[in-house]
Amino acid sequence: MGFNQTIFKYFHEECINRFGKVVGNEIFINAEIKLTQMICEADYLNSKALKWHMDKNMLPTIAMYLAFKEYATTKAQAYEITLDIVQIMARNTKKKNQMIGKMPFGYTIFKLFCKAIMRKQYPKEGWNTQWITYDNNEIHFDYSKCIYMEITKKYNCPEVCPIFCANDETSFAGYAPNIVFEHNNTIGRGNEKCDFHFKNGNLSRSI
């Protein structure tokens, strides 16, 4: 499996554009080798959802970062390049989310399907989810465990985890104005939990 089968199909092109053909190809091939190795040893815990997260998003991002580390001067530079590239995907997702964000009853529709989607796409094998609030004003849930943090630790690069936090913030910003997303704490940034708040934008504007 290579990057063409992930959500980062544009990765090779970005490598060439940023580093030139020779170095860009070297980085891309290096990242592909790392990705293939990680997928071969991946434990999906018998979860199709975890397999999607790992194969399509998590492991490719880690592979990018580890490859960039071998060419960048510092970890910080490798981080910024990786963040910049994966944010392309996050911005595309943000655009798709704008359809719900602009719908008159966007929050109601989001609330109707939220728990079912969460159970399917973020199962207990990867996340410990605690529902705090689920009403017409706000949907609020916390994670006390996140598989993204666990896997970045496995590959000795927990510093990569905030990239995934940033992707959430960019992607979910597309739900505005009808759904307002807030993120105050994340495990990836050193907090004990991740908190997700999706607020009814229509109510907040009417106050």
Side-chain angles (χ1 to χ4, degrees):
M1 177 177 172
F3 278 90
N4 282 338
Q5 295 170 281
T6 74
I7 58 177
F8 308 110
K9 295 179 181 180
Y10 56 85
F11 177 55
H12 186 213
E13 183 180 355
E14 285 296 317
C15 287
I16 301 300
N17 290 341
R18 292 165 186 267
F19 297 95
K21 190 171 183 180
V22 175
V23 176
N25 274 324
E26 288 180 0
I27 294 173
F28 177 75
I29 292 171
N30 190 357
E32 284 248 297
I33 292 171
K34 294 180 187 302
L35 175 59
T36 300
Q37 181 179 352
M38 286 189 284
I39 288 176
C40 286
E41 63 190 26
D43 182 0
Y44 303 117
L45 302 175
N46 295 316
S47 169
K48 290 182 179 180
L50 282 191
K51 178 175 172 57
W52 186 94
H53 281 278
M54 293 176 73
D55 287 358
K56 303 296 185 180
N57 184 16
M58 193 187 318
L59 298 180
T61 300
I62 294 172
M64 284 185 215
Y65 173 75
L66 295 178
F68 286 137
K69 271 181 63 179
E70 297 181 10
Y71 290 86
T73 305
T74 64
K75 282 185 178 182
Q77 289 178 332
Y79 177 92
E80 289 301 325
I81 296 168
T82 306
L83 174 64
D84 197 32
I85 289 176
V86 301
Q87 278 282 298
I88 295 172
M89 175 277 301
R91 289 192 294 271
N92 288 336
T93 304
K94 176 183 177 180
K95 290 178 182 179
K96 295 177 182 178
N97 289 340
Q98 286 173 345
M99 180 178 69
I100 295 177
K102 293 178 180 179
M103 294 174 65
F105 301 101
Y107 180 85
T108 301
I109 295 171
F110 183 85
K111 179 175 176 286
L112 184 64
F113 295 103
C114 184
K115 283 193 175 183
I117 291 173
M118 289 293 298
R119 282 193 299 269
K120 181 178 180 180
Q121 297 184 1
Y122 298 86
K124 57 182 175 57
E125 289 85 358
W127 293 267
N128 286 337
T129 307
Q130 180 182 9
W131 295 93
I132 309 299
T133 306
Y134 203 86
D135 57 28
N136 291 330
N137 297 311
E138 178 184 13
I139 296 169
H140 169 200
F141 56 87
D142 293 342
Y143 290 144
S144 59
K145 167 190 170 185
C146 175
I147 191 70
Y148 280 80
M149 189 57 169
E150 293 181 4
I151 298 300
T152 54
K153 283 182 176 180
K154 174 183 176 180
Y155 289 102
N156 299 312
C157 56
E159 67 273 14
V160 173
C161 200
I163 289 177
F164 302 115
C165 307
N167 288 345
D168 285 343
E169 291 155 2
T170 298
S171 300
F172 295 147
Y175 288 136
N178 288 332
I179 304 168
V180 179
F181 174 69
E182 293 182 4
H183 216 184
N184 301 314
N185 302 284
T186 71
I187 295 171
R189 292 169 177 154
N191 303 111
E192 293 184 356
K193 64 179 181 180
C194 301
D195 63 332
F196 286 75
H197 302 261
F198 296 91
K199 298 184 178 182
N200 189 335
N202 291 320
L203 293 181
S204 62
R205 289 195 300 273
S206 64
I207 297 175

